């Protein structure tokens, strides 16, 4: 039964008494969508013009996800008179249907749904059979012989394809009737084939678990429409898994049992005994794994199975490395030259620990010489004729490592060599990396699962050095690997603190360190004439700040500094929403830096518009294409005939189907989190009170340290002060440190 608004002011009243309201009578309309007048991608509200069977055009309004021009639908709802727009049809439910008009059938048959039928034969079939063409194909396809040029072989192909797609058509109508977009319907059918409808009917929550783009809330709406009870074990189990996944999205690998039950109650709205039942089912199905802990107080930590396995594997492999006797290497002082002897004591210690211990860590902020230390490690290892491997989590970080050491560095994914056929890394426990020295840079970005894959492939006896800034934001994925490895106190750590780039007059470096130490950056204009590398632009109003950011990128920075506004300038925003969030800024900057032009092809996917020349970012690891989360690129070619497009990344050109564009975002502006591991010639950061919930010291510090030659902060002193003072970022729930607890390893001989 349809749920109607419970606010009495929204209900039609009789005799002004709320208890005497009457429900609107549901009517049906059916026809072809002529025009999509308006569509809101956030809430799926749409306004469409529909051509009905009696050739009347009707305006439909309401929540209609996935509707497209040219689509035939049947909608149920009620008629209303809008004070400005007149008579319109308010949609309650709708579903896609086969076309009934000759024009609709012609477009349907020419859409590629049947092999051997394109525009020409679609036109011939409709001219011959008219609106009866669908029935002919359904019941007596042999009559296609009446059309010149269609022989037995082609009829057999058409008949087979029509029969094959019959079930798909029924499934598509069923799925779209549940409010799913055509794109999602196609993916569901591709995933479950002939069993798609039955799979959804039996357990719609499988969609949330097995398909990107469908979350628990969407699956829950489908389940409710299918009559699945709120206390169904299916729903309770799926809700528990979703609530736990929500914790992992915040960076945790596990969650205390009471916290998960509390979160699930807010999601599911069922009694405590039902929540307990849902948790029991999830544990029994091995989708959630409990782990009792005694300290700091007795509780049970709950893990997604994959993260518990990854955390245990990571700890186990690190313990093997720490316990394996690894002979110390002599330092080839005579081969290193004067640069080594100009290192400070901490820097020399870092190099020597890399040679004397199987596992060591180097940490420090910008400008303290981490890169110099790594280059000296590499030079010393080369002098000893050791085999060296260098890697970093992102392509840009790997490129910087290559430039610093004059040796090829790879991303961790490419170092481990993803095997598309086996859907696993080539390098693992059984096929380890062969190296004497392995250096991993930007380790603050390393999450638990990638860390587990990396350390599984490290052969005992390899000298491993991790390099990173412990004060930066933790990894985007679950875990706090660098933090936990330092906290376990079993691995020698060198903290570099002496700032070298400060001597070059870099206000970026001095201000970043000031923020990291809880002090306001120096916002005064530069005292020397000419250009400087740090500017503060004070603007409290978000709209004015957004306009200023656009002018800086499009005009002032290119003219004064000569930087390319697309490839060398990057906006880093604390949040996605708001006038200075990434969504609004990307729309503004796309129109300024890459406006529409007849020579530029473009396409839309939902609310996202992509055109040739756009700056984009990959937002998910795509092992098959060899492109990974956080990598930046530029759209090279859009081909609307084949519905494909290509993107130039640092690693090369990657080809996509247009429906795969859900893996990409416009990247003129990205979040600070997404910028980790990258470095840009110029960075602009809006710092406004509308970003209050994200104003944290380590977030601001991370964004500032992404700038290489120019940093501009735009915002209010109040917001900046909030960020500097807020040094209480959320502590991630992990148990890696506890798994690594034990006696410190004895120094290697």
């Amino acid at each position: 039964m349809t749920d109607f608004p419970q606010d009495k002011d929204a209900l039609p009243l009789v005799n002004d008494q709320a208890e005497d309201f009457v429900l609107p009578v549901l009517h049906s309309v059916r026809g072809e969508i002529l025009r999509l007048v308006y569509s809101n991608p956030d809430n799926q509200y749409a306004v469409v013009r529909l051509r009905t069977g009696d050739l009347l055009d009707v305006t439909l309004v309401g929540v209609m996800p996935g509707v497209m021009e040219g689509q035939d639908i049947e909608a149920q709802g009620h008629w209303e008179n809008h004070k400005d727009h007149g008579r319109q049809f308010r949609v309650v439910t709708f579903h896609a249907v086969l076309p009934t008009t000759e024009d609709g059938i012609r477009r349907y048959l020419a859409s590629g749904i049947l092999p051997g039928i394109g525009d020409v034969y679609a036109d011939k079939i409709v001219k011959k059979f008219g609106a009866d063409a669908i029935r002919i194909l359904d019941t007596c396809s042999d009559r296609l012989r009446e059309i010149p040029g269609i022989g037995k072989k082609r009829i057999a192909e058409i008949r087979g394809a029509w029969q094959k797609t019959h079930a798909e058509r029924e499934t598509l109508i069923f799925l779209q009737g549940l409010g799913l977009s055509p794109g999602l319907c196609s993916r569901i059918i591709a995933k479950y084939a002939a069993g798609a409808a039955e799979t959804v009917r039996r357990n719609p929550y499988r969609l949330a678990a097995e398909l990107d783009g469908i979350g628990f809330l969407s699956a829950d709406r489908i389940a409710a429409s299918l009559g699945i009870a709120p206390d169904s074990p299916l729903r309770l189990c799926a809700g528990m898994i979703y609530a736990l996944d929500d914790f992992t999205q915040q960076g945790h690998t596990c969650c205390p049992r009471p916290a998960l039950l509390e979160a699930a109650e807010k999601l599911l709205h069922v009694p405590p005994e039902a929540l307990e039942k849902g948790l029991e089912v999830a544990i029994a199905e091995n989708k959630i794994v409990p782990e009792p802990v005694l300290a700091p107080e007795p509780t049970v930590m709950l893990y997604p199975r994959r993260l518990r396995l990854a955390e245990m594997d990571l700890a186990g492999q690190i313990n093997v490395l720490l316990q394996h006797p690894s002979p110390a290497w002599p330092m080839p002082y005579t081969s290193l030259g004067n640069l080594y002897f100009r290192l400070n004591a901490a820097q020399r210690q870092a190099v020597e620990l890399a040679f004397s211990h199987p596992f060591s860590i180097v940490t420090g902020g910008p400008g303290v010489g981490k890169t110099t230390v790594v280059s000296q490690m590499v030079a010393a290892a080369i002098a000893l004729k050791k085999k060296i491997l260098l890697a970093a989590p992102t392509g840009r970080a790997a490129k910087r490592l290559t430039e610093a050491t004059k040796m090829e560095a790879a991303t961790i994914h490419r170092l481990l060599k993803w095997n598309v056929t086996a859907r696993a890394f080539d390098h693992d426990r059984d096929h380890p990396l062969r190296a004497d020295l392995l250096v991993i840079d930007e380790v603050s970005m390393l999450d638990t699962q990638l860390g587990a894959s990396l350390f599984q492939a490290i052969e005992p006896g390899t000298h491993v050095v991790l390099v990173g800034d412990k004060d930066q934001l933790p990894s985007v994925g679950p875990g706090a690997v660098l933090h936990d490895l330092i906290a376990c106190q079993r691995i020698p750590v060198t903290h570099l603190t002496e700032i070298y780039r400060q001597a070059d007059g870099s206000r970026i470096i001095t201000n970043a360190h000031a923020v990291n130490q809880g002090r306001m950056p120096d916002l005064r204009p530069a005292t020397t004439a000419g250009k400087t590398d740090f500017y503060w632009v004070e603007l409290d109003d978000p709209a004015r700040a957004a306009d200023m950011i656009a002018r800086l990128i499009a005009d002032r920075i290119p003219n004064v500094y000569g930087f390319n506004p697309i490839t060398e300038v990057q906006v880093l925003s604390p949040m996605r929403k708001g006038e200075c969030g990434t969504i609004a800024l990307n729309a503004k900057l796309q129109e300024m830096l890459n406006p529409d032009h007849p020579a530029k092809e473009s396409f839309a996917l939902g609310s996202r518009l992509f055109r040739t020349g756009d700056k984009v970012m990959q937002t998910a690891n795509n092992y098959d294409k060899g492109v990974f989360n956080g990598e930046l690129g530029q759209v090279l070619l859009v081909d609307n005939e084949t519905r494909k497009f290509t993107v130039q990344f640092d690693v090369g050109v990657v080809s996509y189907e247009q429906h795969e564009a859900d893996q990409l975002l416009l990247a003129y502006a990205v979040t600070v989190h997404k910028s980790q591991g990258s470095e840009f010639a110029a960075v602009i950061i809006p710092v406004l009170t509308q970003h209050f919930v994200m104003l944290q010291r380590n977030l601001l510090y991370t964004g500032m340290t992404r700038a290489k030659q120019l940093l501009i902060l735009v915002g209010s002193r109040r917001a900046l002060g909030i960020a500097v003072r807020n040094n209480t970022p959320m502590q991630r729930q992990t148990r890696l440190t506890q798994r690594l607890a034990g006696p410190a390893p004895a120094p290697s001989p």
Side-chain angles (χ1 to χ4, degrees):
M1 181 173 177
T2 304
D3 291 323
F4 287 91
Q6 297 304 302
D7 179 357
K8 70 177 183 179
D9 293 331
L11 297 169
L13 303 181
V14 177
N15 298 326
D16 295 323
Q17 298 297 313
E19 60 268 24
D20 290 332
F21 71 86
V22 293
L23 295 178
V25 176
L26 288 182
H27 298 276
S28 293
V29 294
R30 175 172 173 157
E32 179 188 351
I33 295 176
L34 294 178
R35 188 160 64 96
L36 189 58
V37 179
Y38 171 78
S39 177
N40 185 323
D42 294 327
N43 59 17
Q44 306 298 321
Y45 179 85
V47 178
V48 305
R49 292 291 288 173
L50 191 80
R51 171 67 54 83
T52 63
D54 52 8
L55 301 182
L56 292 176
D57 291 352
V58 177
T59 299
L60 273 60
V61 299
V63 176
M64 291 177 279
V67 292
M68 300 181 300
E69 292 181 3
Q71 183 181 30
D72 278 58
I73 65 170
E74 183 171 358
Q76 291 75 43
H78 57 271
W79 294 99
E80 63 182 22
N81 283 307
H82 191 278
K83 63 178 182 179
D84 296 323
H85 304 297
R87 192 168 187 254
Q88 57 189 24
F89 190 83
R90 173 75 57 177
V91 174
V92 176
T93 64
F94 80 98
H95 63 271
V97 295
L98 286 172
T100 56
T101 67
E102 291 189 6
D103 283 344
I105 293 170
R106 184 181 291 106
R107 280 193 295 271
Y108 180 71
L109 295 179
S111 68
I113 191 170
L114 297 175
I117 294 184
D119 289 334
V120 173
Y121 280 108
D123 189 58
K124 288 182 178 181
I125 290 171
V126 173
K127 280 184 177 177
K128 177 67 177 178
F129 301 114
D132 209 27
I134 295 292
R135 186 189 64 80
I136 296 294
L137 287 166
D138 258 338
T139 61
C140 44
S141 55
D142 281 346
R143 289 193 59 192
L144 291 175
R145 293 181 185 177
E146 299 172 21
I147 298 173
I150 298 185
K152 290 183 179 180
K153 184 178 178 181
R154 180 166 288 180
I155 289 173
E157 289 177 351
I158 293 171
R159 181 188 294 119
W162 185 262
Q163 291 170 349
K164 180 176 179 292
T165 58
H166 180 78
E168 289 185 4
R169 292 199 307 273
E170 295 298 314
T171 299
L172 189 63
I173 291 170
F174 165 71
L175 294 175
Q176 288 189 326
L178 296 174
L180 299 177
S181 70
L184 278 177
C185 293
S186 298
R187 288 169 54 204
I188 292 170
I189 292 170
K191 174 76 173 176
Y192 302 112
E198 187 61 21
T199 296
V200 173
R201 286 191 184 97
R202 285 180 176 274
N203 184 4
Y205 297 103
R206 282 185 62 181
L207 301 178
E210 298 172 3
L211 281 174
D212 291 334
I214 301 181
F216 172 82
L217 298 179
S218 296
D220 204 33
R221 286 193 291 269
I222 295 170
S225 68
L226 292 172
I228 293 176
D231 61 352
S232 162
L234 280 178
R235 179 174 186 266
L236 299 176
C237 175
M240 279 292 165
I241 294 168
Y242 174 82
L244 185 55
D245 281 345
D246 192 48
F247 277 97
T248 68
Q249 292 296 315
Q250 299 171 44
H252 307 293
T253 61
C254 55
C255 172
R257 190 175 187 276
L260 181 62
L261 290 171
E262 181 181 350
E265 193 281 327
K266 293 177 182 176
L267 176 72
L268 297 170
H269 305 291
V270 295
E273 57 270 19
L275 296 173
E276 295 284 355
K277 177 63 177 176
L279 183 55
E280 286 176 16
V281 173
I283 292 172
E285 293 184 0
N286 202 27
K287 293 174 179 173
I288 293 179
V289 181
E291 184 172 298
V293 298
L294 298 177
E297 58 185 34
T299 188
V300 174
M301 301 300 287
L302 299 170
Y303 281 85
R305 182 167 58 91
R306 70 186 189 285
L307 288 181
R308 185 168 184 267
L309 288 173
E311 193 175 272
M312 292 176 69
D313 278 350
L314 177 56
Q317 289 299 114
I318 290 173
N319 277 321
V320 169
L321 289 176
L322 292 174
Q323 293 162 7
H324 189 85
S326 182
W329 300 339
M331 282 297 301
Y333 296 110
T334 56
S335 304
L336 291 177
N338 293 330
L339 179 58
Y340 179 81
F341 297 100
R342 291 202 299 269
L343 299 181
N344 64 39
Q347 290 174 317
R348 287 198 297 272
Q349 173 189 288
V351 177
E352 290 163 5
L353 282 173
F355 280 33
S356 62
H357 284 70
F359 194 0
S360 61
I361 295 173
V362 183
T363 186
V368 297
K370 297 191 298 295
T371 300
T372 302
V373 165
V374 171
S375 66
Q376 287 299 289
M377 288 179 188
V378 170
I382 290 173
L384 294 177
K385 295 182 169 52
K386 302 295 184 182
K387 181 171 174 54
I388 306 160
L389 289 177
L390 307 174
T394 67
R396 294 204 166 200
K399 186 177 180 181
R400 290 201 309 275
L401 191 54
T402 297
E403 293 167 351
T405 61
K406 306 299 186 286
M407 279 194 66
E408 186 67 28
T411 65
I412 295 174
H413 291 95
R414 294 184 180 97
L415 178 73
L416 299 177
K417 294 183 180 176
W418 179 256
N419 187 313
V420 175
T421 303
R423 304 206 62 76
F425 289 115
D426 281 342
H427 289 294
D428 54 18
R429 281 192 188 88
D430 298 325
H431 307 89
L433 297 164
R434 302 296 181 184
D436 298 307
L437 175 66
L438 173 63
V439 180
I440 308 294
D441 199 6
E442 293 284 1
V443 183
S444 62
M445 297 182 64
L446 189 63
D447 62 58
T448 299
Q449 288 183 284
L450 184 57
S453 295
L454 171 64
F455 277 87
Q456 284 172 15
I458 298 175
E459 193 172 31
T462 305
H463 286 241
V464 179
V465 181
L466 304 185
V467 183
D469 186 346
K470 66 179 180 59
D471 295 321
Q472 293 212 14
L473 288 170
S475 57
V476 175
V481 174
L482 180 59
H483 172 273
D484 291 349
L485 293 181
I486 293 173
C488 81
Q489 299 185 344
R490 295 185 63 206
I491 304 164
V493 180
T494 301
H495 297 269
L496 302 179
T497 57
E498 186 174 340
I499 304 173
Y500 283 90
R501 276 165 61 190
Q502 183 174 0
D504 299 333
S506 171
R507 297 182 72 205
I508 297 174
I509 300 300
T510 55
N511 279 326
H513 280 277
V515 167
N516 195 35
Q517 294 161 13
R519 295 182 284 111
M520 285 286 284
D522 181 1
L523 305 181
R524 294 172 297 179
T527 55
T528 57
K531 296 181 291 187
T532 182
D533 66 352
F534 176 86
Y535 291 93
W536 165 252
V537 180
E538 186 146 2
L539 286 171
D540 293 341
D541 179 68
R544 292 182 61 206
D547 288 340
M548 172 58 72
I549 289 169
R551 289 201 302 274
L552 286 169
I553 293 178
D555 180 35
R556 298 188 189 181
I557 293 176
N559 289 336
V560 176
Y561 285 85
F563 294 141
N564 184 304
I566 293 180
T567 60
E568 295 182 292
V569 184
Q570 186 63 56
V571 179
L572 302 180
S573 178
M575 295 183 69
R576 296 179 64 245
K577 295 185 178 180
E579 289 165 292
C580 280
T582 60
I583 296 173
L585 286 174
N586 271 317
K588 180 186 286 283
L589 293 173
Q590 183 187 44
E591 289 309 308
M592 290 192 71
L593 302 178
N594 190 33
D596 190 19
H597 188 276
K600 292 180 182 177
E601 291 285 344
S602 63
F603 71 96
L605 185 70
S607 61
R608 304 178 192 181
L609 174 68
F610 298 94
R611 64 172 62 106
T612 303
D614 271 337
K615 183 177 183 179
V616 294
M617 174 180 277
Q618 177 78 14
T619 62
N621 291 334
N622 191 319
Y623 294 96
D624 295 342
K625 295 183 185 296
V627 61
F628 303 102
N629 189 3
E631 296 197 22
L632 289 167
Q634 194 166 8
V635 177
L636 283 182
L637 174 70
V638 174
D639 188 336
N640 283 314
E641 287 190 14
T642 62
R643 299 191 63 78
K644 293 183 178 180
F645 67 103
T646 58
V647 179
Q648 174 72 61
F649 290 101
D650 287 341
V651 298
V653 177
V654 178
S655 179
Y656 295 83
E657 302 285 342
Q658 288 186 6
H659 68 81
E660 295 177 311
D662 59 356
Q663 303 173 32
L664 298 168
L665 290 175
L666 290 177
Y668 302 99
V670 301
T671 62
V672 177
H673 279 87
K674 286 290 188 182
S675 74
Q676 289 173 265
S678 295
E679 194 173 67
F680 309 96
V683 167
I684 304 174
I685 305 176
V687 188
L688 297 155
T689 51
Q690 72 170 190
H691 298 149
F692 182 86
V693 295
M694 294 300 293
L695 292 178
Q696 298 173 349
R697 185 186 300 175
N698 64 346
L699 184 138
L700 177 60
Y701 171 71
T702 299
M704 294 173 72
T705 56
R706 301 304 91 202
K708 189 176 181 180
Q709 296 171 257
L710 175 65
L711 172 63
I712 303 176
L713 302 183
V714 179
S716 71
R717 290 175 188 258
R718 180 168 177 263
L720 190 62
I722 291 170
V724 171
R725 291 189 297 272
N726 183 5
N727 194 33
T728 56
M730 178 184 65
Q731 293 299 312
R732 294 190 168 187
Q733 295 278 359
T734 77
R735 288 189 49 74
L736 179 59
T737 298
Q738 291 81 353
R739 297 186 198 283
L740 292 170
S748 302

